[in-house]
Amino acid sequence: MQFVFEKIHEHYRTLDLNKHQEDVIACAKTFSLNANEPLIIEPGSIYYVSEGVLSIAMDEDPRIIGTTIEFMPVGLLEWMCPVISFNYMTLTSATILQISVDDFERIFYDTSKSYMKELTTILSYMLIVALDVHVERRTDSGYHTIKAMLRRYLYRRSVNAKENEGIANFIIRRTNLSRSYVFRVLAELKEGQYITVKKGKLISIDRTLPHDF
């Protein structure tokens, strides 16, 4: 079965995973970040994005490998596995909740089984989303990667209206594809009236995309 991000994310959004939020908010420090501003992970802290979206990249690699999903505990991976690090950058303006790892452990390990189940579900979907990205971008054909990214872009714009990234940059920042190849494919799809692009942003996919390029 081919993973499809929008199906995974839409199902995730139907789940009741916010019971722990009041306890997080009660002990959190809240601050704001502007668009295109990094979130600096402080040792001993876990973060939640209450509004907005962050991109995720491996340290020293500029390619975006994913974005935050609702209720995702940012910084948990680094805390559990301190030999790795990620770069987080806001794609929109964002409101961030910061709690200590001591509060995180108290909320999720000491409070109730239902909170532990919520955390396990959130972590499971984080893994599924990461695997979906791998499936989407492992294809030998750059064109098939672009096809998948076009649909992902339209979905992300539908759920995050504040995201302002152009379609070409969206693809280039997340893949190994060359700028010239991405622009050539997009130009030919637009000329063939397969897609509508205005001011660099993909507006719609207007008919079935060609199987190959």
Side-chain angles (χ1 to χ4, degrees), residues 2 9 15 27 47-48 66 79 95 115 120 126 137 144 166 171 196-197 199 201 205:
Q2 180 96 11
H9 190 233
L15 304 178
C27 62
Y47 302 82
Y48 289 88
W79 175 44
T95 302
Y115 285 13
T120 302
M126 286 169 59
R137 301 175 200 178
H144 287 97
I171 296 169
T196 297
V197 178
K199 296 182 178 179
K201 297 178 180 62
I205 297 172

Side-chain angles (χ1 to χ4, degrees), residues 157-170:
R157 293 271 292 169
S158 73
V159 296
N160 297 294
K162 292 182 180 179
E163 289 192 35
N164 204 34
E165 191 172 23
I167 180 59
N169 199 43
F170 180 86

Side-chain angles (χ1 to χ4, degrees), residues 114-203:
S114 66
Y115 285 13
M116 177 64 75
K117 185 176 180 180
E118 283 188 357
L119 177 60
T120 302
T121 304
I122 292 164
L123 294 176
S124 297
Y125 273 83
M126 286 169 59
L127 174 60
I128 292 167
V129 168
L131 290 173
D132 177 58
V133 170
H134 173 69
V135 169
E136 177 185 74
R137 301 175 200 178
R138 71 179 179 177
T139 175
D140 294 331
S141 165
Y143 171 67
H144 287 97
T145 298
I146 290 175
K147 284 175 64 175
M149 298 293 283
L150 293 176
R151 298 185 181 94
R152 181 182 287 263
Y153 178 89
L154 286 178
Y155 177 73
R156 290 216 57 82
R157 293 271 292 169
S158 73
V159 296
N160 297 294
K162 292 182 180 179
E163 289 192 35
N164 204 34
E165 191 172 23
I167 180 59
N169 199 43
F170 180 86
I171 296 169
I172 292 164
R173 292 177 68 191
R174 291 160 174 80
T175 68
N176 284 320
L177 300 175
S178 70
R179 179 175 294 272
S180 61
Y181 179 76
V182 171
F183 274 99
R184 180 162 63 89
V185 172
L186 292 177
E188 295 198 20
L189 290 176
K190 182 178 178 182
E191 185 176 344
Q193 298 182 336
Y194 291 99
I195 62 175
T196 297
V197 178
K198 293 183 179 178
K199 296 182 178 179
K201 297 178 180 62
L202 178 65
I203 305 302

Side-chain angles (χ1 to χ4, degrees), residues 20-38:
H20 66 275
Q21 284 295 92
E22 287 189 9
D23 286 345
V24 169
I25 292 169
C27 62
K29 170 188 173 183
T30 304
F31 62 94
S32 298
L33 294 174
N34 296 319
N36 300 314
E37 190 173 352

